[in-house]
Amino acid sequence: MASLAFEEAVAHYERALSVLVPRDRAGELLRCDLLIALGAAQQRAGDLRYRETTSTAVDLARRLADAERLAVAAMGHARPGGWMANANVVDQGLIALYEEAAAALGNDDSILRARVLTQLAVELVYTAERDRRDALSAEAVAIARRLGDMVGVMRVLVGRLIAISDPSTVAERLALTADLDELATRLDNTEMKFHAAFHRAGALLEAGDGDGAQQALARMEIAAAELREPFYRWWGPLGRAMWSTLRGLPTAEQDAFAALEVGTAAGMPDASNAFAAIMANIRGYQGRHEELLDGVRSYVEAQPYMVAWRAALAWNLCETERLAEAREQFDRLGSMDFAVPLNWLWGSAMDSLAWVCGDLGDREAAAILYPRIAPVAEQVSVSVLVTFSTGSIGLGAGVLASCLGRWEDAERHFEHALAVNERLGARPWVVRSRRAWAQMLLERNRPGDTERARELIAAGRAEAEQLGMARELVRCERLQERL
């Protein structure tokens, strides 16, 4: 394992288990240790049998009433770096297992307890328990720091970065990643260097620093190559797909398929989810929304806890002129007070809701949504750390402010969103920024607004033609007619 020869380690552990015949408790404990070690080796080799091996170790540790082994075996379900076992589901069984393991360890400080609390917080990412995630991961960091275990501190810092990843925590995550990078460099820990760069890339992009984010992604790929693990190799292609999609590059679709291929080969259960999200962006700016509807509906049915999918469905229905159906989906979210869970999909969901709100002209909904989005309007929307981005959050804020007739706020948001998207080279979002701003000017209709709108429409239309943004060309044409 230390030599990164994971496949060989799997073979050795399997041979050890094949000859072990437990005759007493000591033998059963040894078998449990070997199962835990085998599961870790299988996981790092990209061998999906690790899930079954880990479950067997958990059952044995529970039968032996060994709290520490139960905790270690339970954490074997997490992917490298403490990543959640499967982002496609809210795994209530695994959440209960971490709760059981934490209770069995008691309340005394230990790195093991800190890590279990962190994993519990990570598995709660797609639930509405934002405060609990914050409290659990903060407690884990405090325990590790009290114990002075620097390796343990790094591991729980990574978990906290996952657990609290949402637009409200950019400043804290930048500070935590700087902390993590300093520790990883001092201890020469390649795995932690990867996580520091990985999480920093997402936080920097959210803060609007595209160059810094790209530099962090480059450092992340260097570390991934050294680690030689399928899980780590997946994120580089995914980051490249995110950038090419954000910028509307001709290679975007090719990059998305490349990431899917690497993720599928690595056995990542959420590789298809990430691919679907990226392709939804690509097909969206190509104006091929009709092709997305069935797929997005299937995700809404399969993952009802992901509000972002239902919001995306409503937006795609608007883009295909099915406003009555869009209204139905929008009202379902409205009946829940548009309770978008505060996690790394918040920005994507709010972006979709803002566009739908504008298309439907729903002032009541805008009055609910605008105060939520305005505080982070100067940031960039980045989902699942480096998976996909919808550009400046200010664009959605501007759409909502326009819907409310708050013209000065809307203009301020559009001006900022256009500047940010231009700086990032996010051309599809530059087009949308210009078109939405032009629409707002025509609705306000003050002296000089028509001429400014004319300039924005012309510039947006020219870029939309270059990018092949069919739907935006239709919208620009309608605004041109209003002139």
Side-chain angles (χ1 to χ4, degrees), residues 2 21 40 117 124 151-152 224 289 308 320 353 425 441 472 478:
V21 181
L117 293 178
L124 292 169
V151 174
H289 298 274
T320 53
L353 290 174
L441 290 170
E472 286 303 311
R478 289 176 181 173

Side-chain angles (χ1 to χ4, degrees), residues 18-85:
S18 72
V19 299
L20 176 64
V21 181
R23 302 182 186 281
D24 52 20
R25 180 177 174 81
E28 291 288 1
L29 292 173
L30 176 57
R31 180 168 179 265
C32 188
D33 290 340
L34 286 170
L35 285 167
I36 291 170
L38 173 60
Q42 288 172 329
Q43 184 197 75
R44 291 190 177 272
D47 184 340
L48 298 185
R49 293 180 299 166
Y50 84 87
R51 294 166 185 157
E52 182 181 347
T53 303
T54 298
S55 296
T56 303
V58 166
D59 292 341
L60 181 54
R62 186 184 284 128
R63 194 166 70 245
L64 293 167
D66 190 304
E68 290 193 2
R69 284 180 172 83
L70 175 63
V72 174
M75 287 190 298
H77 283 288
R79 284 179 279 174
W83 195 262
M84 62 190 60

Side-chain angles (χ1 to χ4, degrees), residues 5 23 46 58 87 134 139 263 308 321 341 406 426 437 462 469 473 482:
R23 302 182 186 281
V58 166
D134 184 19
E139 183 182 357
E321 310 283 354
R406 296 177 58 162
W437 191 356
M469 298 181 69
L473 287 171
R482 287 176 62 179

